[in-house]
């Protein structure tokens, strides 16, 4: 199509998003249009339903917010304003101004006025000289610093209304597509994330093409607050943190251990059934191991300081990754091609020094236990191992209540090791496996690991949030570095492919996600306390103790409550503690050898013969693999 036709089509698509279709000159337009030709040769536009579309939408919205702030607070200096996973932000030097929550409404109102005015977003190339002149007149040293890092010929401005911003692109056609906006919060942020630089004000926002979507989002925010695993975990006494122990280092309480043990046992059983051998490796390792593997170079700055030993020139580090250790376990044996694939799995605890501001309950910690695994196989086995892993992961996710997940195939990055031939084979093997299973997937160009392509598995929880948990990675690098080999059919030594894999990611983070997904109402088989026995009268105490012993002997996790309290009070308290099954025992139950049962979330009570109840609850409490 002619360039004008393409732009016209893009603008006319209802709520459509065309990333960078409007460009500075014909050549720019051709580049962008070609990038939207799909495998079938059809022109493809980015929409609200894909990541690229949302990114363009939110990046455009950040420009509108920046314009509004600049108009409402004259003299502020703008720095950067990217789209993020959920919305956007802009870092601003407010100078003498102050912004608080009381200002949010007027910023939103001005943003919506600009949106209704239907201003086109126009990207144009400018020379470095022109860009410097513009921002010198604006007296904006931040933008000048960014421009100084760019080369002449790679600088672009984006204009809309009377507003201009330094920008590399990624916009919707015009402002009218933005129908709903919300300023979420403000925080401090150092310029270029350097604490030696000036602290700026970071203003977060979100926007949508429909008001209805904003209402749903705000409702989900409220739901997320109610489901916050930090609050639920404290109420249910699952875990705690202590500043004396250290930030980001969770302490698992008895009921949390019950939950975690059930999850670990379930996963261990599933993995053994799938052909994995469980291994255990130390919490520390010699520095030289991580230097050889390449992990010191990658994680050295995020690692804890070396552990001192009595011996001079000997350095150990807290383990940042399990992979080198698994490679050494593989090297402790001699394998032939007939032995492959060899599959190892470990619940291995690793340590990384996250910044204190990034720590968040169980979902961002400094010490965590990965459900890690590594498969040593031949190149010809990659596709089958990929299929096996996806089937295992799908079953586990489904059993844990997650029936929806997305798959992203991340391909070769610019900086990588290995030949194109190997990368072609690895990428094709992963992609063929997904297709063979009939699963949908997205390609994330250039986001693979430096040693090989990878699949990332993104869960959708009960309120629609996305969580990247599982991963499957093809590694042609580490086995060579650590001299892993097998004897091939030809009698010579060959280097195996090492497939890195995780299903949950880490137990800490996944339990945080699981807690929020279920809002603490865990399935019976996972619940730390499965049955609570409450007495209505002291005359039922002996009967309650006998029932408790019978349930304990049947491996049911039971709590006995014989306090001298009203039964209504007991039921209310245990309901707040998310106990799945509450048994009430009074004179009638003792006389008739029955139990009165109330399920969490229900006001109905049912009566059942005691022996029948024990048999039924034992069956109901089985894990999906029992």
């Amino acid at each position: 199509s002619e360039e004008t036709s393409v732009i016209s089509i893009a603008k006319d698509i209802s709520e459509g998003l065309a990333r960078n279709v409007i460009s500075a000159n014909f050549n720019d337009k051709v580049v962008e249009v070609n990038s939207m030709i799909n495998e079938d040769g059809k022109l493809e536009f980015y929409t609200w339903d894909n990541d690229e579309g949302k990114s363009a939408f939110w990046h455009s919205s950040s420009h509108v917010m920046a314009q509004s702030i600049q108009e409402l607070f004259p003299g502020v200096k703008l720095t950067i304003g990217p789209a993020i996973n959920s919305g956007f932000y802009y870092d601003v030097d407010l100078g003498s101004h102050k912004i608080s929550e009381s200002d949010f409404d007027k910023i939103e109102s001005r943003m919506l006025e600009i949106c209704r005015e239907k201003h086109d977003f126009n990207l144009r190339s400018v020379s470095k000289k022109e860009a410097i002149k513009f921002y010198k007149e604006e007296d904006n040293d931040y933008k000048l610093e960014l421009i100084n890092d760019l080369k002449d010929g790679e600088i672009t401005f984006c204009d809309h209304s009377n507003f201009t911003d330094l920008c590399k692109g990624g916009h919707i056609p015009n402002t009218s597509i933005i129908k709903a906006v919300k300023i979420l919060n403000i925080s401090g942020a150092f310029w270029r994330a350097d604490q030696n630089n000036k602290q700026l004000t970071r203003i977060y926002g979100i926007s949508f093409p429909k008001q209805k979507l904003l209402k749903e989002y705000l409702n989900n925010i409220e739901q997320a607050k109610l489901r916050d695993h930090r609050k639920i975990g404290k109420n249910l006494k699952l875990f705690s943190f202590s500043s004396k122990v250290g930030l980001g280092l969770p302490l698992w309480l008895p009921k949390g251990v019950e939950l975690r043990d059930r999850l670990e046992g379930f996963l261990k059983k599933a993995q053994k059934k799938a052909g994995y051998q469980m291994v255990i490796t130390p919490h520390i390792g010699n520095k030289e191991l991580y230097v050889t593997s390449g992990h010191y170079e990658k994680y050295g700055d995020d690692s804890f300081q070396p552990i001192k030993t009595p011996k001079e020139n000997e350095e150990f580090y807290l383990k940042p990754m399990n992979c080198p250790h698994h490679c050494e376990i593989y090297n402790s044996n001699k394998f032939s091609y007939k032995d492959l694939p060899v599959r190892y799995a470990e619940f291995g605890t690793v340590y990384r020094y996250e910044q204190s501001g990034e720590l968040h309950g169980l979902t961002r910690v400094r010490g965590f236990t990965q459900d890690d695994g590594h498969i040593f196989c031949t190149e010809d086995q990659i596709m089958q191992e990929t299929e096996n892993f996806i089937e295992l992961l799908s079953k586990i996710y489904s059993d844990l209540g997650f029936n929806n997940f997305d798959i992203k195939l991340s391909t070769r990055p610019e900086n990588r090791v290995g030949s194109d031939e190997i990368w072609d084979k690895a990428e094709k093997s992963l992609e063929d496996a997904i297709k063979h299973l009939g699963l949908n997937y997205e390609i994330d160009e250039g986001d693979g690991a430096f040693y090989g392509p990878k699949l990332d598995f993104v869960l959708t929880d009960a309120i629609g949030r996305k969580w990247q948990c599982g991963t499957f990675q093809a590694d042609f690098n580490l086995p060579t570095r650590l001299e892993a080999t097998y004897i091939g059919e030809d009698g010579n030594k060959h280097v195996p492919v090492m497939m890195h894999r995780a299903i949950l990611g880490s137990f800490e983070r996944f339990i945080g996600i699981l807690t929020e997904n279920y809002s603490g109402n865990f399935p019976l088989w996972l619940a730390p306390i499965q049955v609570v026995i409450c007495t209505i009268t002291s005359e039922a105490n002996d009967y309650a103790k006998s029932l408790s012993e019978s349930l304990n002997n049947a491996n049911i996790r039971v709590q006995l409550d014989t306090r001298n309290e009203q039964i209504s009070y007991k039921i209310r308290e245990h309901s707040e503690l998310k106990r799945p099954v509450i048994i009430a025992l009074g004179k009638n139950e003792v006389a008739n050898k029955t139990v009165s049962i109330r399920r969490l979330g229900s006001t109905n009570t049912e009566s059942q013969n005691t022996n029948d109840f024990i048999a039924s609850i034992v069956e109901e409490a089985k894990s999906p693999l029992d």
Side-chain angles (χ1 to χ4, degrees), residues 514-553:
L514 201 66
T515 301
E516 296 192 5
N517 184 67
Y518 285 112
S519 195
N521 303 329
F522 297 110
L524 184 66
W525 70 274
L526 270 177
I529 299 294
Q530 295 170 310
V531 176
V532 176
I533 303 171
C534 300
T535 53
I536 300 172
T537 171
S538 60
E539 295 175 35
N541 285 356
D542 289 341
Y543 182 47
K545 289 176 184 177
S546 175
L547 175 59
S548 176
E549 289 175 4
S550 297
L551 290 171
N552 271 317
N553 291 336

Side-chain angles (χ1 to χ4, degrees), residues 72 133 182 185 231 372 425 502 517 522 548 569 598:
L72 293 168
K133 180 176 182 294
K182 186 71 177 176
N185 59 1
K231 180 180 177 181
D372 214 350
K425 188 166 188 174
N517 184 67
F522 297 110
S548 176
Y569 174 82
R598 178 175 291 195

Side-chain angles (χ1 to χ4, degrees), residues 462-473:
I463 58 175
R465 294 173 301 179
K466 303 286 187 180
W467 302 91
Q468 194 274 308
C469 293
T471 189
F472 192 75
Q473 306 170 357

Side-chain angles (χ1 to χ4, degrees), residues 189-303:
F190 292 108
W191 168 237
R192 304 195 107 169
D194 186 339
Q195 61 183 0
N196 296 315
N197 290 337
K198 184 170 182 178
Q199 189 173 50
L200 306 172
T201 299
R202 178 167 293 180
I203 305 168
Y204 289 92
I206 197 162
S207 58
F208 296 92
K210 292 181 181 179
Q211 186 68 30
K212 176 186 175 184
L213 294 174
L214 175 59
K215 289 181 180 179
E216 291 174 356
Y217 173 81
L218 294 176
N219 180 62
N220 283 345
I221 290 291
E222 290 305 310
Q223 281 291 315
K225 289 179 181 178
L226 294 173
R227 293 168 178 263
D228 191 327
H229 75 277
R230 295 169 299 177
K231 180 180 177 181
I232 293 173
K234 181 179 180 179
N235 292 343
L236 301 188
K237 294 182 171 56
L238 301 179
F239 59 88
S240 68
F241 290 90
S242 165
S243 59
K244 293 179 180 178
V245 173
L247 297 176
L249 300 172
L251 300 171
W252 288 94
L253 307 182
K255 290 181 176 61
V257 172
E258 289 285 1
L259 169 63
R260 181 166 168 158
D261 278 352
R262 290 294 285 173
L263 188 59
E264 288 185 1
F266 166 71
L267 199 61
K268 186 179 291 186
K269 191 169 186 177
Q271 292 184 147
K272 284 187 174 181
K273 192 174 180 181
Y276 288 86
Q277 302 173 78
M278 298 301 297
V279 297
I280 298 174
T281 60
H283 287 245
I284 64 173
N286 194 296
K287 176 183 175 181
E288 291 307 311
L289 173 66
Y290 304 129
V291 170
T292 303
S293 71
H295 289 93
Y296 179 78
E297 182 180 354
K298 184 170 178 61
Y299 294 106
D301 292 339
D302 296 324
S303 298

Side-chain angles (χ1 to χ4, degrees), residues 170-182:
H171 295 282
I172 56 179
N174 62 68
T175 60
S176 68
I177 297 169
I178 304 168
K179 304 291 187 183
V181 300
K182 186 71 177 176

